[in-house]
Amino acid sequence: MKKKFTFSEEYFERETIATLTTLSNGYISVRGDPEFLESKQGTFIAGVYSYTPVFYRELVNLPRAHAIYAEFEGVPLKPENVLYTLDVEHGLLEIESTLTSPLGSFAYKSVRFVHKNIKGLLGIKASIKSLNARGRLFVKAPVELEFSNPSVPQEVSVRLFRVVSLENKAYPRVEVVTADDRYKVYIASVASSVPEAPVNNFTTNSKIGQVLSLDVRPGDILNLERLAVYGFDSSTVDSALTNAKSRGLEGLLQEHMREWEKEWREINLNVSGDEELADSLIFNTFHLLQIYNDQSDVFAIPAKGLHGYGYRGHVFWDTEIYAFPFYLFFKPDAARKILTFRCRLLEAAIENAKRNGYRGAQYPWESADDGVEATPREVPLDLTGSKKVRIYTGDQEHHITADIAYAVDMYYRFTGDKDFLAECGLRILVETARFWTSRVEWDTRLSRYVIRNVIGPDEYHVGVDNNFYTNLMARHNLELAASYSKRAQSDISLRPVLDELRVSSEEITTWENIAEGIYVNCGEDGLCEQFDGYFKLKDYKLDPGVIGEKSLPPSVLQSIQDYQLIKQADVVAAMFLLREKFTREVIEKNYEYYLPRTTHASSLSLPMYAAAALYIGRIEEGLRMLKIAAQADLADVYKNSKDGFHIGSAGGVWMAILFGLLRLREGETITFEGPEKAYGLKLSFNIKYRGKTYRVEL
């Protein structure tokens, strides 16, 4: 099981490597672009969004404060054979290269870290060794200011911050504000070297920083250290940098490494029997861990992490359905903060429902920092805007509201945290149930409640009626609200919540009646129809192991809505999530039907199918899919890792392990009903359950 992962541009695009080697502490995030090369990517700060065309609000590409540019005798040095090593055990990025010019060459090595505890701090130390150069070496350490967010079409970019002030006295200091004036960010940076080189300050239109210069001969080494601090308060940033300077970069680095070692000891993850799966699992676990800021009150997880611009930093259902189980058992406080983020946006969800003509709380398909629907309705394909693509998910993919309620219930069942129920959890269940009460319609022909005009997890079919996943999860949402509210009626700590929300016994009965009456189309043989009319569509089966849409004939791809092809697990997803409501025989029958008709064009598909396969006892088949899902980024399975890390897929792999393979269940103590063996795979780790730590071994 690897502790270090090495990447070269011989096998991966530089932008893909930048995602794979991103460093974060859940507060600031820095992609793995080499510090000696110019980059279009600056720094992300979690939660710092701004208004933007098309995408409503998106994470802001803020200034970069870790660049190191080297020149020899005034000639810029250019890299050859860049090697990147991500040390997941210690949370470090190591970069090696040869920097060359016509006048001489240098061996370059660096170690970069984003401090695990001091959330605004990043550090980098580099050594620059003259191989054959004799003369003057110049090293620039700027804070770079010219960054913008890529937009659509690809020729367009938008700058989402402006510089308020620059100061370059004791050290470079920058103040910027986001374009919407909502967030003000301060950045301070300092560089030093051994041997001590003269330092001069410089300021241009695009950079403010320091330059060091030194005469070198072959064999001479310049050791450079650079510290930078980001924050929302000027005095805090200044004091943090002063403190960091006094402690020294090496001391900070060692502290950071010890904290990561402690993190891994707590989980004590060991995997063997399948080297590729073991490597992928520890790689993904590192990235899941590093985006959590334990000092924040909330935890919002963008679908592509803090690793890139994919989905503009928006938060989807990936969080509650796929990533949530990992945090629930490894970092329960993180799971609570995920739901606290949804709590903070509950009023916005209520307003969203009102705008759409519904009652209760309707969570948006895509959320940014304010909880307003952030899904673009149209995306321009050319500069004139004459060609556009219409996006319907924000209007029709409503199941996310039930997905959040599902996570509230899961959190309480596995933590017993009644304080959370009183603070917000019960409110979410009530208000989301009120949404579904207003969303359903009574169908006199069926004598059932129906939900029309939706998009399910399978996004190939738009505006369908009675999507199985949506209807089943909505029914579950209503059942949860009724069940928890009944219990709350006689609970002294929860009764005031019901009184405040004016929940009556009659309303609870209404939820129960609607839940019982929601239409779910399953035949006597147990096969369930994904939506009304699905079985009447043209049939098409894919070859086993096919991932994505490339194997589809153009005629099929262009009219995919006319076929039974689906993008990702839909019926199977609902059945796995609510597996206690179905027999394994029914789950297996639907699994067998829908699997060969699924393209897995979404990275969320394979984790769910793997989970279902493992749960019904198809261990070998499930592990095969699990392995591919786990390699989504490490092997760039979907060829889009350059846009960011697949958080949902990484978390979904753990969901499949915990609930599919191990069949974890709650009770007085946590129990596992999975197999004792899994085709040579050996797996052990620590999880947390209701304040206690349990060792899990397979």
PDB file of all heavy atoms in Angstrom, residues 418-451:
ATOM      1  N   LYS A 418     -29.273  13.691  19.469  1.00  0.00           N
ATOM      2  CA  LYS A 418     -30.584  14.330  19.568  1.00  0.00           C
ATOM      3  C   LYS A 418     -30.480  15.856  19.558  1.00  0.00           C
ATOM      4  O   LYS A 418     -31.405  16.548  19.118  1.00  0.00           O
ATOM      5  CB  LYS A 418     -31.313  13.857  20.828  1.00  0.00           C
ATOM      6  CG  LYS A 418     -32.783  14.308  20.872  1.00  0.00           C
ATOM      7  CD  LYS A 418     -33.476  13.886  22.152  1.00  0.00           C
ATOM      8  CE  LYS A 418     -33.727  12.408  22.186  1.00  0.00           C
ATOM      9  NZ  LYS A 418     -34.564  12.032  23.365  1.00  0.00           N
ATOM     10  N   ASP A 419     -29.351  16.374  20.030  1.00  0.00           N
ATOM     11  CA  ASP A 419     -29.168  17.829  20.004  1.00  0.00           C
ATOM     12  C   ASP A 419     -29.270  18.358  18.578  1.00  0.00           C
ATOM     13  O   ASP A 419     -29.841  19.423  18.341  1.00  0.00           O
ATOM     14  CB  ASP A 419     -27.814  18.220  20.591  1.00  0.00           C
ATOM     15  CG  ASP A 419     -27.770  18.042  22.097  1.00  0.00           C
ATOM     16  OD1 ASP A 419     -28.848  17.946  22.713  1.00  0.00           O
ATOM     17  OD2 ASP A 419     -26.659  17.985  22.658  1.00  0.00           O
ATOM     18  N   PHE A 420     -28.710  17.593  17.631  1.00  0.00           N
ATOM     19  CA  PHE A 420     -28.796  18.029  16.236  1.00  0.00           C
ATOM     20  C   PHE A 420     -30.238  18.013  15.754  1.00  0.00           C
ATOM     21  O   PHE A 420     -30.669  18.924  15.030  1.00  0.00           O
ATOM     22  CB  PHE A 420     -27.935  17.153  15.331  1.00  0.00           C
ATOM     23  CG  PHE A 420     -28.132  17.461  13.871  1.00  0.00           C
ATOM     24  CD1 PHE A 420     -27.580  18.597  13.321  1.00  0.00           C
ATOM     25  CD2 PHE A 420     -28.916  16.640  13.072  1.00  0.00           C
ATOM     26  CE1 PHE A 420     -27.787  18.912  11.982  1.00  0.00           C
ATOM     27  CE2 PHE A 420     -29.133  16.942  11.741  1.00  0.00           C
ATOM     28  CZ  PHE A 420     -28.561  18.080  11.192  1.00  0.00           C
ATOM     29  N   LEU A 421     -30.991  16.999  16.145  1.00  0.00           N
ATOM     30  CA  LEU A 421     -32.404  16.958  15.767  1.00  0.00           C
ATOM     31  C   LEU A 421     -33.132  18.196  16.268  1.00  0.00           C
ATOM     32  O   LEU A 421     -33.921  18.809  15.545  1.00  0.00           O
ATOM     33  CB  LEU A 421     -33.069  15.720  16.349  1.00  0.00           C
ATOM     34  CG  LEU A 421     -32.999  14.401  15.576  1.00  0.00           C
ATOM     35  CD1 LEU A 421     -33.841  13.355  16.270  1.00  0.00           C
ATOM     36  CD2 LEU A 421     -33.433  14.574  14.129  1.00  0.00           C
ATOM     37  N   ALA A 422     -32.859  18.564  17.502  1.00  0.00           N
ATOM     38  CA  ALA A 422     -33.529  19.721  18.094  1.00  0.00           C
ATOM     39  C   ALA A 422     -33.077  21.015  17.439  1.00  0.00           C
ATOM     40  O   ALA A 422     -33.883  21.929  17.220  1.00  0.00           O
ATOM     41  CB  ALA A 422     -33.266  19.761  19.593  1.00  0.00           C
ATOM     42  N   GLU A 423     -31.786  21.099  17.128  1.00  0.00           N
ATOM     43  CA  GLU A 423     -31.248  22.333  16.550  1.00  0.00           C
ATOM     44  C   GLU A 423     -31.729  22.549  15.128  1.00  0.00           C
ATOM     45  O   GLU A 423     -32.031  23.670  14.731  1.00  0.00           O
ATOM     46  CB  GLU A 423     -29.720  22.292  16.573  1.00  0.00           C
ATOM     47  CG  GLU A 423     -29.136  22.389  17.979  1.00  0.00           C
ATOM     48  CD  GLU A 423     -27.653  22.050  18.000  1.00  0.00           C
ATOM     49  OE1 GLU A 423     -27.036  21.996  16.913  1.00  0.00           O
ATOM     50  OE2 GLU A 423     -27.121  21.812  19.103  1.00  0.00           O
ATOM     51  N   CYS A 424     -31.789  21.464  14.342  1.00  0.00           N
ATOM     52  CA  CYS A 424     -32.135  21.669  12.939  1.00  0.00           C
ATOM     53  C   CYS A 424     -32.664  20.439  12.218  1.00  0.00           C
ATOM     54  O   CYS A 424     -33.468  20.562  11.314  1.00  0.00           O
ATOM     55  CB  CYS A 424     -30.909  22.186  12.188  1.00  0.00           C
ATOM     56  SG  CYS A 424     -31.213  22.519  10.458  1.00  0.00           S
ATOM     57  N   GLY A 425     -32.191  19.254  12.597  1.00  0.00           N
ATOM     58  CA  GLY A 425     -32.533  18.057  11.845  1.00  0.00           C
ATOM     59  C   GLY A 425     -34.021  17.847  11.664  1.00  0.00           C
ATOM     60  O   GLY A 425     -34.493  17.531  10.558  1.00  0.00           O
ATOM     61  N   LEU A 426     -34.790  18.024  12.741  1.00  0.00           N
ATOM     62  CA  LEU A 426     -36.238  17.846  12.658  1.00  0.00           C
ATOM     63  C   LEU A 426     -36.860  18.896  11.748  1.00  0.00           C
ATOM     64  O   LEU A 426     -37.807  18.601  11.000  1.00  0.00           O
ATOM     65  CB  LEU A 426     -36.847  17.897  14.058  1.00  0.00           C
ATOM     66  CG  LEU A 426     -38.344  17.599  14.165  1.00  0.00           C
ATOM     67  CD1 LEU A 426     -38.687  16.251  13.555  1.00  0.00           C
ATOM     68  CD2 LEU A 426     -38.799  17.667  15.622  1.00  0.00           C
ATOM     69  N   ARG A 427     -36.339  20.103  11.777  1.00  0.00           N
ATOM     70  CA  ARG A 427     -36.843  21.170  10.899  1.00  0.00           C
ATOM     71  C   ARG A 427     -36.675  20.782   9.431  1.00  0.00           C
ATOM     72  O   ARG A 427     -37.570  21.009   8.608  1.00  0.00           O
ATOM     73  CB  ARG A 427     -36.120  22.481  11.186  1.00  0.00           C
ATOM     74  CG  ARG A 427     -36.534  23.172  12.467  1.00  0.00           C
ATOM     75  CD  ARG A 427     -35.771  24.474  12.673  1.00  0.00           C
ATOM     76  NE  ARG A 427     -36.301  25.228  13.807  1.00  0.00           N
ATOM     77  CZ  ARG A 427     -35.970  25.011  15.071  1.00  0.00           C
ATOM     78  NH1 ARG A 427     -35.105  24.039  15.354  1.00  0.00           N
ATOM     79  NH2 ARG A 427     -36.498  25.730  16.036  1.00  0.00           N
ATOM     80  N   ILE A 428     -35.502  20.236   9.100  1.00  0.00           N
ATOM     81  CA  ILE A 428     -35.266  19.816   7.717  1.00  0.00           C
ATOM     82  C   ILE A 428     -36.275  18.749   7.308  1.00  0.00           C
ATOM     83  O   ILE A 428     -36.867  18.812   6.221  1.00  0.00           O
ATOM     84  CB  ILE A 428     -33.822  19.302   7.543  1.00  0.00           C
ATOM     85  CG1 ILE A 428     -32.825  20.464   7.620  1.00  0.00           C
ATOM     86  CG2 ILE A 428     -33.664  18.566   6.214  1.00  0.00           C
ATOM     87  CD1 ILE A 428     -31.375  20.047   7.469  1.00  0.00           C
ATOM     88  N   LEU A 429     -36.500  17.763   8.169  1.00  0.00           N
ATOM     89  CA  LEU A 429     -37.434  16.691   7.837  1.00  0.00           C
ATOM     90  C   LEU A 429     -38.846  17.231   7.631  1.00  0.00           C
ATOM     91  O   LEU A 429     -39.544  16.837   6.689  1.00  0.00           O
ATOM     92  CB  LEU A 429     -37.424  15.625   8.935  1.00  0.00           C
ATOM     93  CG  LEU A 429     -36.123  14.837   9.101  1.00  0.00           C
ATOM     94  CD1 LEU A 429     -36.232  13.881  10.284  1.00  0.00           C
ATOM     95  CD2 LEU A 429     -35.775  14.083   7.832  1.00  0.00           C
ATOM     96  N   VAL A 430     -39.270  18.131   8.493  1.00  0.00           N
ATOM     97  CA  VAL A 430     -40.615  18.694   8.391  1.00  0.00           C
ATOM     98  C   VAL A 430     -40.772  19.525   7.123  1.00  0.00           C
ATOM     99  O   VAL A 430     -41.731  19.360   6.350  1.00  0.00           O
ATOM    100  CB  VAL A 430     -40.937  19.538   9.640  1.00  0.00           C
ATOM    101  CG1 VAL A 430     -42.194  20.388   9.414  1.00  0.00           C
ATOM    102  CG2 VAL A 430     -41.111  18.640  10.855  1.00  0.00           C
ATOM    103  N   GLU A 431     -39.852  20.447   6.911  1.00  0.00           N
ATOM    104  CA  GLU A 431     -40.001  21.366   5.773  1.00  0.00           C
ATOM    105  C   GLU A 431     -39.831  20.651   4.432  1.00  0.00           C
ATOM    106  O   GLU A 431     -40.471  21.024   3.445  1.00  0.00           O
ATOM    107  CB  GLU A 431     -39.005  22.523   5.892  1.00  0.00           C
ATOM    108  CG  GLU A 431     -39.239  23.437   7.084  1.00  0.00           C
ATOM    109  CD  GLU A 431     -40.542  24.236   7.003  1.00  0.00           C
ATOM    110  OE1 GLU A 431     -41.298  24.073   6.020  1.00  0.00           O
ATOM    111  OE2 GLU A 431     -40.818  25.025   7.931  1.00  0.00           O
ATOM    112  N   THR A 432     -38.969  19.641   4.370  1.00  0.00           N
ATOM    113  CA  THR A 432     -38.834  18.884   3.118  1.00  0.00           C
ATOM    114  C   THR A 432     -40.078  18.033   2.866  1.00  0.00           C
ATOM    115  O   THR A 432     -40.505  17.875   1.715  1.00  0.00           O
ATOM    116  CB  THR A 432     -37.570  18.005   3.133  1.00  0.00           C
ATOM    117  OG1 THR A 432     -37.553  17.189   4.311  1.00  0.00           O
ATOM    118  CG2 THR A 432     -36.310  18.851   3.090  1.00  0.00           C
ATOM    119  N   ALA A 433     -40.680  17.494   3.929  1.00  0.00           N
ATOM    120  CA  ALA A 433     -41.936  16.755   3.767  1.00  0.00           C
ATOM    121  C   ALA A 433     -43.036  17.679   3.249  1.00  0.00           C
ATOM    122  O   ALA A 433     -43.861  17.281   2.405  1.00  0.00           O
ATOM    123  CB  ALA A 433     -42.350  16.128   5.093  1.00  0.00           C
ATOM    124  N   ARG A 434     -43.055  18.906   3.738  1.00  0.00           N
ATOM    125  CA  ARG A 434     -44.046  19.868   3.250  1.00  0.00           C
ATOM    126  C   ARG A 434     -43.842  20.167   1.764  1.00  0.00           C
ATOM    127  O   ARG A 434     -44.806  20.398   1.028  1.00  0.00           O
ATOM    128  CB  ARG A 434     -43.963  21.146   4.083  1.00  0.00           C
ATOM    129  CG  ARG A 434     -44.561  20.985   5.472  1.00  0.00           C
ATOM    130  CD  ARG A 434     -44.295  22.172   6.377  1.00  0.00           C
ATOM    131  NE  ARG A 434     -45.086  22.050   7.614  1.00  0.00           N
ATOM    132  CZ  ARG A 434     -44.909  22.830   8.683  1.00  0.00           C
ATOM    133  NH1 ARG A 434     -43.972  23.779   8.687  1.00  0.00           N
ATOM    134  NH2 ARG A 434     -45.670  22.652   9.745  1.00  0.00           N
ATOM    135  N   PHE A 435     -42.597  20.155   1.332  1.00  0.00           N
ATOM    136  CA  PHE A 435     -42.350  20.340  -0.101  1.00  0.00           C
ATOM    137  C   PHE A 435     -42.985  19.214  -0.897  1.00  0.00           C
ATOM    138  O   PHE A 435     -43.718  19.444  -1.872  1.00  0.00           O
ATOM    139  CB  PHE A 435     -40.852  20.397  -0.386  1.00  0.00           C
ATOM    140  CG  PHE A 435     -40.528  20.217  -1.846  1.00  0.00           C
ATOM    141  CD1 PHE A 435     -40.805  21.214  -2.767  1.00  0.00           C
ATOM    142  CD2 PHE A 435     -39.976  19.020  -2.312  1.00  0.00           C
ATOM    143  CE1 PHE A 435     -40.543  21.031  -4.125  1.00  0.00           C
ATOM    144  CE2 PHE A 435     -39.694  18.832  -3.657  1.00  0.00           C
ATOM    145  CZ  PHE A 435     -39.978  19.845  -4.561  1.00  0.00           C
ATOM    146  N   TRP A 436     -42.735  17.965  -0.489  1.00  0.00           N
ATOM    147  CA  TRP A 436     -43.276  16.844  -1.262  1.00  0.00           C
ATOM    148  C   TRP A 436     -44.799  16.805  -1.192  1.00  0.00           C
ATOM    149  O   TRP A 436     -45.462  16.402  -2.168  1.00  0.00           O
ATOM    150  CB  TRP A 436     -42.687  15.528  -0.769  1.00  0.00           C
ATOM    151  CG  TRP A 436     -41.224  15.396  -1.080  1.00  0.00           C
ATOM    152  CD1 TRP A 436     -40.187  15.348  -0.194  1.00  0.00           C
ATOM    153  CD2 TRP A 436     -40.641  15.326  -2.383  1.00  0.00           C
ATOM    154  NE1 TRP A 436     -38.973  15.248  -0.863  1.00  0.00           N
ATOM    155  CE2 TRP A 436     -39.236  15.231  -2.206  1.00  0.00           C
ATOM    156  CE3 TRP A 436     -41.154  15.331  -3.674  1.00  0.00           C
ATOM    157  CZ2 TRP A 436     -38.346  15.147  -3.280  1.00  0.00           C
ATOM    158  CZ3 TRP A 436     -40.275  15.246  -4.754  1.00  0.00           C
ATOM    159  CH2 TRP A 436     -38.892  15.157  -4.554  1.00  0.00           C
ATOM    160  N   THR A 437     -45.362  17.252  -0.092  1.00  0.00           N
ATOM    161  CA  THR A 437     -46.818  17.311   0.014  1.00  0.00           C
ATOM    162  C   THR A 437     -47.402  18.234  -1.052  1.00  0.00           C
ATOM    163  O   THR A 437     -48.465  17.962  -1.624  1.00  0.00           O
ATOM    164  CB  THR A 437     -47.226  17.805   1.421  1.00  0.00           C
ATOM    165  OG1 THR A 437     -46.722  16.889   2.402  1.00  0.00           O
ATOM    166  CG2 THR A 437     -48.737  17.890   1.563  1.00  0.00           C
ATOM    167  N   SER A 438     -46.678  19.325  -1.327  1.00  0.00           N
ATOM    168  CA  SER A 438     -47.151  20.261  -2.350  1.00  0.00           C
ATOM    169  C   SER A 438     -46.710  19.856  -3.754  1.00  0.00           C
ATOM    170  O   SER A 438     -47.265  20.330  -4.751  1.00  0.00           O
ATOM    171  CB  SER A 438     -46.639  21.672  -2.039  1.00  0.00           C
ATOM    172  OG  SER A 438     -45.226  21.743  -2.172  1.00  0.00           O
ATOM    173  N   ARG A 439     -45.728  18.973  -3.830  1.00  0.00           N
ATOM    174  CA  ARG A 439     -45.175  18.581  -5.141  1.00  0.00           C
ATOM    175  C   ARG A 439     -45.971  17.449  -5.781  1.00  0.00           C
ATOM    176  O   ARG A 439     -46.076  17.361  -7.013  1.00  0.00           O
ATOM    177  CB  ARG A 439     -43.708  18.149  -4.959  1.00  0.00           C
ATOM    178  CG  ARG A 439     -42.976  17.757  -6.255  1.00  0.00           C
ATOM    179  CD  ARG A 439     -42.811  18.949  -7.170  1.00  0.00           C
ATOM    180  NE  ARG A 439     -42.081  18.596  -8.388  1.00  0.00           N
ATOM    181  CZ  ARG A 439     -42.628  18.053  -9.483  1.00  0.00           C
ATOM    182  NH1 ARG A 439     -43.926  17.763  -9.500  1.00  0.00           N
ATOM    183  NH2 ARG A 439     -41.905  17.795 -10.551  1.00  0.00           N
ATOM    184  N   VAL A 440     -46.535  16.552  -4.970  1.00  0.00           N
ATOM    185  CA  VAL A 440     -47.274  15.419  -5.538  1.00  0.00           C
ATOM    186  C   VAL A 440     -48.613  15.877  -6.102  1.00  0.00           C
ATOM    187  O   VAL A 440     -49.131  16.930  -5.740  1.00  0.00           O
ATOM    188  CB  VAL A 440     -47.500  14.308  -4.482  1.00  0.00           C
ATOM    189  CG1 VAL A 440     -46.183  13.782  -3.951  1.00  0.00           C
ATOM    190  CG2 VAL A 440     -48.392  14.810  -3.347  1.00  0.00           C
ATOM    191  N   GLU A 441     -49.148  15.063  -7.009  1.00  0.00           N
ATOM    192  CA  GLU A 441     -50.479  15.293  -7.562  1.00  0.00           C
ATOM    193  C   GLU A 441     -51.275  13.994  -7.447  1.00  0.00           C
ATOM    194  O   GLU A 441     -50.715  12.906  -7.524  1.00  0.00           O
ATOM    195  CB  GLU A 441     -50.388  15.706  -9.037  1.00  0.00           C
ATOM    196  CG  GLU A 441     -49.559  16.950  -9.299  1.00  0.00           C
ATOM    197  CD  GLU A 441     -49.363  17.177 -10.790  1.00  0.00           C
ATOM    198  OE1 GLU A 441     -50.352  17.047 -11.552  1.00  0.00           O
ATOM    199  OE2 GLU A 441     -48.216  17.447 -11.198  1.00  0.00           O
ATOM    200  N   TRP A 442     -52.601  14.132  -7.289  1.00  0.00           N
ATOM    201  CA  TRP A 442     -53.452  12.946  -7.227  1.00  0.00           C
ATOM    202  C   TRP A 442     -53.881  12.562  -8.640  1.00  0.00           C
ATOM    203  O   TRP A 442     -54.378  13.377  -9.400  1.00  0.00           O
ATOM    204  CB  TRP A 442     -54.687  13.217  -6.379  1.00  0.00           C
ATOM    205  CG  TRP A 442     -55.610  12.037  -6.292  1.00  0.00           C
ATOM    206  CD1 TRP A 442     -56.808  11.884  -6.930  1.00  0.00           C
ATOM    207  CD2 TRP A 442     -55.401  10.843  -5.540  1.00  0.00           C
ATOM    208  NE1 TRP A 442     -57.367  10.671  -6.624  1.00  0.00           N
ATOM    209  CE2 TRP A 442     -56.526  10.001  -5.766  1.00  0.00           C
ATOM    210  CE3 TRP A 442     -54.388  10.394  -4.699  1.00  0.00           C
ATOM    211  CZ2 TRP A 442     -56.642   8.756  -5.178  1.00  0.00           C
ATOM    212  CZ3 TRP A 442     -54.513   9.150  -4.106  1.00  0.00           C
ATOM    213  CH2 TRP A 442     -55.625   8.341  -4.348  1.00  0.00           C
ATOM    214  N   ASP A 443     -53.618  11.306  -8.990  1.00  0.00           N
ATOM    215  CA  ASP A 443     -53.986  10.796 -10.304  1.00  0.00           C
ATOM    216  C   ASP A 443     -55.232   9.928 -10.135  1.00  0.00           C
ATOM    217  O   ASP A 443     -55.175   8.847  -9.527  1.00  0.00           O
ATOM    218  CB  ASP A 443     -52.832   9.968 -10.888  1.00  0.00           C
ATOM    219  CG  ASP A 443     -53.085   9.550 -12.324  1.00  0.00           C
ATOM    220  OD1 ASP A 443     -54.081   8.846 -12.571  1.00  0.00           O
ATOM    221  OD2 ASP A 443     -52.277   9.907 -13.205  1.00  0.00           O
ATOM    222  N   THR A 444     -56.347  10.403 -10.672  1.00  0.00           N
ATOM    223  CA  THR A 444     -57.613   9.682 -10.483  1.00  0.00           C
ATOM    224  C   THR A 444     -57.605   8.338 -11.208  1.00  0.00           C
ATOM    225  O   THR A 444     -58.245   7.380 -10.750  1.00  0.00           O
ATOM    226  CB  THR A 444     -58.785  10.535 -10.989  1.00  0.00           C
ATOM    227  OG1 THR A 444     -58.530  10.924 -12.352  1.00  0.00           O
ATOM    228  CG2 THR A 444     -58.945  11.781 -10.137  1.00  0.00           C
ATOM    229  N   ARG A 445     -56.907   8.240 -12.333  1.00  0.00           N
ATOM    230  CA  ARG A 445     -56.859   6.975 -13.069  1.00  0.00           C
ATOM    231  C   ARG A 445     -56.132   5.906 -12.270  1.00  0.00           C
ATOM    232  O   ARG A 445     -56.570   4.754 -12.203  1.00  0.00           O
ATOM    233  CB  ARG A 445     -56.166   7.188 -14.419  1.00  0.00           C
ATOM    234  CG  ARG A 445     -56.089   5.925 -15.280  1.00  0.00           C
ATOM    235  CD  ARG A 445     -55.386   6.218 -16.601  1.00  0.00           C
ATOM    236  NE  ARG A 445     -54.013   6.626 -16.398  1.00  0.00           N
ATOM    237  CZ  ARG A 445     -52.999   5.758 -16.262  1.00  0.00           C
ATOM    238  NH1 ARG A 445     -53.226   4.458 -16.267  1.00  0.00           N
ATOM    239  NH2 ARG A 445     -51.768   6.217 -16.104  1.00  0.00           N
ATOM    240  N   LEU A 446     -55.025   6.290 -11.648  1.00  0.00           N
ATOM    241  CA  LEU A 446     -54.230   5.340 -10.879  1.00  0.00           C
ATOM    242  C   LEU A 446     -54.695   5.221  -9.436  1.00  0.00           C
ATOM    243  O   LEU A 446     -54.338   4.269  -8.737  1.00  0.00           O
ATOM    244  CB  LEU A 446     -52.750   5.769 -10.882  1.00  0.00           C
ATOM    245  CG  LEU A 446     -52.003   5.723 -12.214  1.00  0.00           C
ATOM    246  CD1 LEU A 446     -50.631   6.376 -12.064  1.00  0.00           C
ATOM    247  CD2 LEU A 446     -51.851   4.283 -12.697  1.00  0.00           C
ATOM    248  N   SER A 447     -55.457   6.229  -8.990  1.00  0.00           N
ATOM    249  CA  SER A 447     -55.811   6.339  -7.568  1.00  0.00           C
ATOM    250  C   SER A 447     -54.548   6.320  -6.709  1.00  0.00           C
ATOM    251  O   SER A 447     -54.467   5.641  -5.675  1.00  0.00           O
ATOM    252  CB  SER A 447     -56.761   5.192  -7.152  1.00  0.00           C
ATOM    253  OG  SER A 447     -57.991   5.308  -7.812  1.00  0.00           O
ATOM    254  N   ARG A 448     -53.578   7.078  -7.186  1.00  0.00           N
ATOM    255  CA  ARG A 448     -52.293   7.180  -6.500  1.00  0.00           C
ATOM    256  C   ARG A 448     -51.768   8.624  -6.620  1.00  0.00           C
ATOM    257  O   ARG A 448     -52.158   9.383  -7.503  1.00  0.00           O
ATOM    258  CB  ARG A 448     -51.255   6.232  -7.118  1.00  0.00           C
ATOM    259  CG  ARG A 448     -51.483   4.753  -6.844  1.00  0.00           C
ATOM    260  CD  ARG A 448     -51.141   4.403  -5.415  1.00  0.00           C
ATOM    261  NE  ARG A 448     -51.222   2.969  -5.161  1.00  0.00           N
ATOM    262  CZ  ARG A 448     -52.307   2.329  -4.772  1.00  0.00           C
ATOM    263  NH1 ARG A 448     -53.450   3.005  -4.634  1.00  0.00           N
ATOM    264  NH2 ARG A 448     -52.285   1.034  -4.523  1.00  0.00           N
ATOM    265  N   TYR A 449     -50.869   8.959  -5.703  1.00  0.00           N
ATOM    266  CA  TYR A 449     -50.154  10.229  -5.835  1.00  0.00           C
ATOM    267  C   TYR A 449     -49.000  10.034  -6.810  1.00  0.00           C
ATOM    268  O   TYR A 449     -48.272   9.033  -6.743  1.00  0.00           O
ATOM    269  CB  TYR A 449     -49.616  10.687  -4.481  1.00  0.00           C
ATOM    270  CG  TYR A 449     -50.694  11.158  -3.533  1.00  0.00           C
ATOM    271  CD1 TYR A 449     -51.159  10.331  -2.512  1.00  0.00           C
ATOM    272  CD2 TYR A 449     -51.243  12.437  -3.666  1.00  0.00           C
ATOM    273  CE1 TYR A 449     -52.153  10.752  -1.643  1.00  0.00           C
ATOM    274  CE2 TYR A 449     -52.237  12.870  -2.799  1.00  0.00           C
ATOM    275  CZ  TYR A 449     -52.691  12.025  -1.793  1.00  0.00           C
ATOM    276  OH  TYR A 449     -53.680  12.455  -0.938  1.00  0.00           O
ATOM    277  N   VAL A 450     -48.835  10.996  -7.701  1.00  0.00           N
ATOM    278  CA  VAL A 450     -47.776  10.911  -8.710  1.00  0.00           C
ATOM    279  C   VAL A 450     -46.896  12.163  -8.641  1.00  0.00           C
ATOM    280  O   VAL A 450     -47.299  13.199  -8.098  1.00  0.00           O
ATOM    281  CB  VAL A 450     -48.362  10.760 -10.137  1.00  0.00           C
ATOM    282  CG1 VAL A 450     -49.154   9.464 -10.246  1.00  0.00           C
ATOM    283  CG2 VAL A 450     -49.234  11.963 -10.497  1.00  0.00           C
ATOM    284  N   ILE A 451     -45.704  12.037  -9.183  1.00  0.00           N
ATOM    285  CA  ILE A 451     -44.787  13.174  -9.268  1.00  0.00           C
ATOM    286  C   ILE A 451     -44.379  13.291 -10.730  1.00  0.00           C
ATOM    287  O   ILE A 451     -43.665  12.439 -11.257  1.00  0.00           O
ATOM    288  CB  ILE A 451     -43.548  12.982  -8.367  1.00  0.00           C
ATOM    289  CG1 ILE A 451     -43.976  12.763  -6.914  1.00  0.00           C
ATOM    290  CG2 ILE A 451     -42.628  14.197  -8.468  1.00  0.00           C
ATOM    291  CD1 ILE A 451     -42.815  12.467  -5.971  1.00  0.00           C
TER     292      ILE A 451
END
